[in-house]
Amino acid sequence: MSSHDLGLNCSYQLAVGEGSFVRLLGGLSYQELSGYQTKMLPNQAIATLDVGGRSWGWRLGAAYEVPEIALRASVVYQSKVKYDLGGTIEGVIPQALNIGSDVSLPQSVEFKFQTGIAPDWIAMASVKWTDWKSIQVVPFALTDAIPAYGLASGRVMSSLDLYFRDGWTVSGGVGHKFNDQWSGAATLTWDRGTTTGWTSQTDVWLLGAGANYKANDHLDIKLAGALGFLTSGTFRDKVSTSEFGTDLVKGFTVAAKLKF
């Protein structure tokens, strides 16, 4: 599976005391989701499922800030994103079958906290809960009947058997301001795996590092990278069980923020 997200975020700041503020946060997300699956049928033929869809979600939250001591605490709720997936299955009969399914990517809540601990140094931590257990089995059913093969509209032709559990992500780290333009940070993150044995999403440990370049009062550029490992586990389906070892994971991002 793969996804793309295009987000728009806004905030409104309110003074609540001398040197302290409350910030109201909100935003929208436009997402696209696509994926495919191959499966061996009882007659030894290989069937291929190819689906995709697009949808909208929203987020809402609040933050409390005391800039003088670099304190900021925030909580943000991200809504479910409901998809009406459509696609095809090939390999079951000589022609492609049109299929569909309804699925919602899960809601989440994230809490973040940071505070100054020494001149030009901050400590930070975050906890995020994601409602992955809401996704158990995703069935794919025919959207059109095929009378010649005795296939009625609505008949389930395949499914994603996921049986997820809730996801938890816990992170902590430190940041340092080198000068008025450059700052950096290092973090350690634990992401609890959502698998219950039916998928390979086991625990992930990540060591991250990043740098921020403030070109002026309007433009920030961020560079970040991470290196870690995906823990070993056991994978099962309806007919067999297998084991897999640890795996290396890595990533790199570049982001820019323009203030008006």
Side-chain angles (χ1 to χ4, degrees):
M1 300 293 290
S2 64
S3 64
H4 297 88
D5 182 286
L6 180 62
L8 174 66
N9 297 309
C10 299
S11 67
Y12 182 75
Q13 181 174 285
L14 299 169
V16 294
E18 186 176 352
S20 61
F21 306 90
V22 167
R23 189 181 298 272
L24 303 179
L25 312 169
L28 294 173
S29 291
Y30 170 75
Q31 296 185 0
E32 294 182 347
L33 180 69
S34 62
Y36 69 92
Q37 180 189 48
T38 58
K39 181 182 293 187
M40 180 174 289
L41 303 176
N43 63 359
Q44 304 301 306
I46 302 296
T48 301
L49 168 70
D50 192 353
V51 296
R54 59 192 65 184
S55 188
W56 290 85
W58 56 272
R59 64 184 64 88
L60 187 65
Y64 176 71
E65 302 176 0
V66 184
E68 185 179 0
I69 58 173
L71 185 148
R72 190 176 195 269
S74 67
V75 59
V76 176
Y77 169 79
Q78 172 69 53
S79 73
K80 292 182 178 181
V81 181
K82 298 181 179 180
Y83 283 92
D84 182 11
L85 296 177
T88 60
I89 293 180
E90 297 183 353
V92 179
I93 61 175
Q95 69 185 79
L97 302 175
N98 296 319
I99 50 91
S101 182
D102 295 327
V103 65
S104 295
L105 292 188
Q107 62 186 341
S108 66
V109 178
E110 184 172 21
F111 173 76
K112 292 183 178 181
F113 178 81
Q114 72 169 49
T115 186
I117 54 175
D120 296 327
W121 286 89
I122 63 171
M124 46 200 171
S126 67
V127 178
K128 182 178 182 180
W129 165 79
T130 306
D131 186 25
W132 283 108
K133 74 175 182 302
S134 63
I135 303 179
Q136 296 295 298
V137 176
V138 183
F140 293 96
L142 289 176
T143 57
D144 304 307
I146 313 292
Y149 291 90
L151 299 175
S153 177
R155 177 174 173 176
V156 174
M157 300 301 298
S158 184
S159 65
L160 291 176
D161 302 320
L162 301 173
Y163 300 105
F164 284 146
R165 64 176 178 173
D166 282 351
W168 287 91
T169 304
V170 181
S171 180
V174 294
H176 179 58
K177 180 181 178 182
F178 299 100
N179 52 49
D180 290 339
Q181 289 184 307
W182 286 97
S183 59
T187 59
L188 178 63
T189 301
W190 169 66
D191 190 349
R192 190 185 81 157
T194 57
T195 182
T196 56
W198 290 79
T199 64
S200 59
Q201 283 83 4
T202 53
D203 290 9
V204 179
W205 290 88
L206 285 175
L207 179 63
N212 185 86
Y213 175 67
K214 186 176 181 180
N216 50 51
D217 291 337
H218 302 286
L219 178 63
D220 283 355
I221 299 174
K222 295 182 179 181
L223 307 174
L227 182 66
F229 64 92
L230 179 70
T231 57
S232 59
T234 300
F235 174 82
R236 68 173 182 269
D237 56 25
K238 295 178 180 179
V239 296
S240 64
T241 300
S242 59
E243 296 183 353
F244 55 90
T246 59
D247 199 3
L248 182 69
V249 293
K250 54 186 180 295
F252 182 77
T253 63
V254 179
K257 180 169 68 174
L258 183 62
K259 299 179 181 179
F260 297 97

